[in-house]
């Protein structure tokens, strides 16, 4: 499931920088410098270029201290100054991490439990950054999307160490068991991994190298349980929907409980090892200010 949500730019970004501003800037700056290099003439130029100036615009600018200069400001000169000022202002905003675009990919459990709060927090603190979001991504797909640039930041279940990525662990989520409300296990207050022996299991896809697939099977086998897998799915929402339909039980991170469906009960899973990490990741060589500020905001939420 892809959740694409684009937030409008606010304030200073409501008027996008025109492409022509960037084209030929060095040549135009040089031209502007030739026209207003003299300090007295530059002061005259700026004063008489102000829209609300009440000075007599027919007054000639002070004489240049060196070679002859144009008799007064030209419309092209005013446009050049405006474009240079705009480019400089935009550069300051970029350096401060106040503008830009970022795409954030979320693992399934974060899509439902974290994304609503995260999207609000980011757009409040960085209104000039244009955010888009992709939900229900499996960790291997997120890693590949980071490498190709399809997303800039990932909220994922950590995979094997990858030197091309910078990964910060945010928290360790407890695991719970999602069971149909009419299942015999639903009468329990708490479950152990051994209690799932013989139960039909619904798991994330092995073919798509899901991190949760390995976590769940490792947990069961450590408890001496041979998993009986009935369904493999790619999305957390589909997994919980199948549980609601009575097709089996599923071990999921606790934040999945935010996806409340009729017909599903969530039971705690006992054991110190019944946890899975949630992390934020981006490509190691990425160091743009707006990306750094975004990652900092995400880390501050935990």
């Amino acid at each position: 499931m892809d959740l694409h949500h684009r937030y409008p730019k606010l304030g200073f970004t409501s008027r996008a920088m025109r492409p022509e501003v960037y084209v030929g800037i060095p040549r135009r700056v040089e031209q502007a410098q030739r026209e207003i290099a003299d300090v007295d003439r530059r002061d005259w130029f700026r004063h008489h270029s102000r829209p609300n100036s009440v000075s007599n615009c027919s007054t000639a600018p002070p004489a240049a201290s060196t070679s002859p200069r144009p008799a007064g400001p030209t419309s092209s000169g005013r446009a050049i100054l405006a474009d240079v000022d705009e480019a400089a202002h935009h550069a300051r905003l970029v350096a401060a991490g106040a503008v830009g675009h970022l795409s954030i990919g979320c693992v399934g459990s974060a899509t439902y439990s974290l994304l609503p709060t995260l999207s609000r927090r980011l757009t409040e603190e960085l209104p000039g950054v244009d955010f888009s979001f992709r939900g229900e991504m499996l960790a291997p797909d997120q890693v590949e999307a980071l490498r190709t640039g399809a997303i800039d930041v990932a909220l994922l279940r950590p995979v094997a160490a990858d030197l091309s990525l910078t990964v910060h662990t945010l928290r360790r989520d407890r695991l719970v068991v999602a069971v149909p409300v009419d299942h015999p296990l639903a009468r329990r207050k708490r479950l152990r991994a051994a209690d799932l022996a013989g139960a039909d299991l619904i798991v994330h896809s092995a073919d798509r190298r899901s991190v949760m697939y390995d976590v769940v099977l490792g947990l069961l086998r450590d408890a001496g349980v041979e998993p009986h897998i009935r369904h493999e799915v790619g999305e957390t929402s589909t997994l919980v929907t199948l549980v609601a339909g009575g097709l089996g039980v599923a071990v999921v991170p606790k934040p999945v409980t935010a996806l409340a469906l009729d017909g599903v009960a969530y039971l705690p899973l006992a054991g110190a090892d019944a946890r899975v990490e949630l992390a934020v990741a981006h490509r190691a060589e990425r160091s743009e200010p707006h990306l750094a500020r975004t990652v900092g905001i995400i880390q501050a939420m935990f």
Side-chain angles (χ1 to χ4, degrees):
M1 181 196 309
D2 284 348
L3 301 179
H4 294 283
H5 188 76
R6 305 295 295 269
Y7 291 86
K9 304 172 188 175
L10 304 176
F12 46 73
T13 57
S14 59
R15 179 168 63 91
M17 177 73 72
R18 302 189 307 276
E20 59 267 24
V21 169
Y22 300 100
V23 179
I25 280 290
R27 175 182 57 77
R28 301 179 73 189
V29 169
E30 183 180 352
Q31 179 184 345
Q33 289 173 334
R34 287 198 303 269
E35 291 190 11
I36 58 175
D38 185 86
V39 174
D40 292 334
R41 291 174 62 81
R42 182 166 62 251
D43 291 342
W44 182 96
F45 189 100
R46 289 191 178 277
H47 177 70
H48 287 273
S49 297
R50 291 200 298 266
N52 296 326
S53 175
V54 296
S55 302
N56 181 1
C57 291
S58 63
T59 302
S65 58
T66 54
S67 58
R69 304 292 182 183
T74 64
S75 58
S76 63
R78 286 192 294 271
I80 290 169
L81 278 180
D83 286 348
V84 170
D85 287 345
E86 186 176 0
H89 177 61
H90 185 76
R92 287 193 294 270
L93 295 177
V94 170
V99 296
H101 170 77
L102 288 176
S103 177
I104 300 177
C106 298
V107 71
S109 57
T111 302
Y112 305 106
S113 65
L114 182 59
L115 181 53
T117 303
L118 175 63
S119 60
R120 289 181 179 275
R121 180 78 171 270
L122 290 176
T123 53
E124 287 172 0
E125 297 201 23
L126 297 174
V129 177
D130 184 18
F131 290 101
S132 63
F133 299 91
R134 292 179 59 184
E136 285 280 18
M137 298 184 72
L138 295 179
D141 298 331
Q142 290 172 291
V143 171
E144 182 61 23
L146 287 172
R147 289 172 178 161
T148 63
I151 62 174
D152 305 292
V153 178
L155 290 167
L156 46 63
R157 303 296 175 186
V159 294
D162 189 331
L163 296 180
S164 69
L165 301 179
T166 296
V167 181
H168 303 283
T169 299
L170 299 174
R171 69 187 182 197
R172 298 184 71 234
D173 291 327
R174 279 200 164 276
L175 297 177
V176 299
V177 183
V179 301
V181 292
D182 56 355
H183 194 282
L185 292 176
R187 294 191 290 269
R188 306 276 192 92
K189 291 184 177 180
R190 179 181 296 269
L191 296 174
R192 298 169 299 129
D195 295 328
L196 301 181
D200 290 335
L201 291 175
I202 305 170
V203 298
H204 287 90
S205 175
D207 291 341
R208 295 175 61 184
R209 298 169 293 136
S210 165
V211 171
M212 281 301 300
Y213 178 89
D214 293 333
V215 168
V216 172
L217 265 65
L219 189 70
L220 294 176
R221 285 171 176 161
D222 287 346
V225 174
E226 185 60 32
H228 182 249
I229 298 174
R230 182 170 180 182
H231 296 283
E232 294 187 19
V233 300
E235 298 178 347
T236 302
S237 58
T238 303
L239 182 148
V240 177
T241 299
L242 294 183
V243 172
L247 299 180
V249 304
V251 178
V252 296
K254 186 175 181 180
V256 173
T257 60
L259 186 58
L261 290 180
D262 291 339
V264 178
Y266 295 99
L267 303 176
L269 185 62
D273 294 333
R275 292 179 180 268
V276 62
E277 291 182 346
L278 178 69
V280 59
H282 61 85
R283 279 164 48 191
E285 73 271 18
R286 296 282 301 272
S287 60
E288 301 95 314
H290 67 302
L291 185 146
R293 289 188 65 182
T294 297
V295 172
I297 290 171
I298 293 173
Q299 290 180 285
M301 294 177 63
F302 295 89

